[in-house]
C-alpha cells in the first residue's frame, strides 16, 4: 500500500482532519528510496480506501479544481449540519421559554386569586372592628 502512495508522488499529503487513523511521514521508518512511510492506526485500510475514493489527499497535478470543489462541498455539508443543529437548539430553547411563560402566568393568576382572597378576609376582619370602635365612641358620649 505504501508503494501505491509513493507512486502517486504526494509527500505533502494533507489529512489533518483524519490524523486519528492515518499518519504519513517522510523520515524515520521510510523506505530507502525516500518515499513517504504510511502507517495505519485505528481506522485501518477501510478508511484509507474511503479517503482515496472521495479524493482527499489526492496526488499531484491537475486535480486542484476537483479538490477545491470537494472541499467546498464538504464545507457546505458541515455548514448545513451546523445550521440544523443551531435551529434545533433554538427551537428547544424557545419551547423551554414558552413552558416557563405558561408556568409563570399560572403562578401569577394563582397569586392574584390568593391576594384577592386575603383582601376580602382582611376587609371582613376590619369591618367588625370599625363598627365596634364607632359603637364605643357613641356610647361613651
Amino acid at each position: 500500500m505504501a508503494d501505491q502512495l509513493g507512486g502517486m508522488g504526494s509527500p505533502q499529503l494533507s489529512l489533518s482532519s483524519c490524523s486519528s487513523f492515518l499518519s504519513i511521514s517522510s523520515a524515520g521508518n521510510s523506505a530507502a528510496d525516500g518515499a513517504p512511510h504510511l502507517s495505519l492506526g485505528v481506522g485501518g485500510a477501510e478508511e484509507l480506501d474511503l479517503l482515496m475514493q472521495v479524493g482527499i489527499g489526492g496526488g499531484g497535478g491537475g486535480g486542484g479544481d476537483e479538490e477545491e470543489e470537494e472541499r467546498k462541498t464538504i464545507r457546505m455539508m458541515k455548514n448545513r449540519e451546523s445550521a440544523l443543529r443551531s435551529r434545533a437548539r433554538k427551537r428547544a430553547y424557545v419551547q423551554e421559554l414558552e413552558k416557563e411563560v405558561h408556568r409563570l402566568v399560572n403562578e401569577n393568576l394563582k397569586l392574584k386569586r390568593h391576594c384577592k382572597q386575603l383582601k376580602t378576609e382582611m376587609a371582613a376582619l376590619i369591618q367588625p372592628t370599625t363598627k365596634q370602635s364607632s359603637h364605643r365612641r357613641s356610647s361613651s358620649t
Side-chain angles (χ1 to χ4, degrees):
M1 178 118 7
D3 291 7
Q4 291 174 342
L5 284 176
M8 295 168 111
S10 69
Q12 75 249 4
L13 188 60
S14 171
L15 296 171
S16 61
S17 65
C18 304
S19 62
S20 64
F21 59 87
L22 181 67
S23 65
I24 297 178
S25 66
S26 58
N29 295 344
S30 38
D33 61 354
H37 174 69
L38 174 68
S39 64
L40 295 173
V42 176
E46 297 86 19
E47 282 81 2
L48 179 62
D49 290 338
L50 178 64
L51 289 172
M52 299 313 279
Q53 288 174 2
V54 295
I56 296 175
D65 290 337
E66 290 176 14
E67 285 181 23
E68 185 65 30
E69 190 65 31
E70 185 69 27
R71 286 187 189 123
K72 183 178 178 183
T73 303
I74 291 171
R75 190 172 59 245
M76 286 173 54
M77 288 171 49
K78 286 182 180 181
N79 190 20
R80 187 174 295 128
E81 291 170 2
S82 177
L84 287 172
R85 284 191 306 271
S86 177
R87 287 186 207 111
R89 277 193 311 270
K90 183 178 180 181
R91 201 170 21 252
Y93 176 70
V94 168
Q95 287 174 348
E96 286 298 315
L97 288 177
E98 288 173 346
K99 283 170 47 177
E100 181 72 6
V101 165
H102 185 71
R103 185 188 67 78
L104 290 172
V105 165
N106 286 337
E107 183 180 356
N108 192 23
L109 288 172
K110 180 181 171 185
L111 290 172
K112 282 182 178 180
R113 279 189 228 117
H114 187 66
C115 183
K116 186 176 180 180
Q117 179 187 357
L118 290 175
K119 283 181 180 180
T120 305
E121 288 176 12
M122 188 175 73
L125 291 173
I126 291 175
Q127 264 185 343
T129 310
T130 309
K131 287 181 183 178
Q132 288 175 0
S133 64
S134 65
H135 180 63
R136 286 184 194 158
R137 286 185 205 151
S138 60
S139 63
S140 64
T141 53

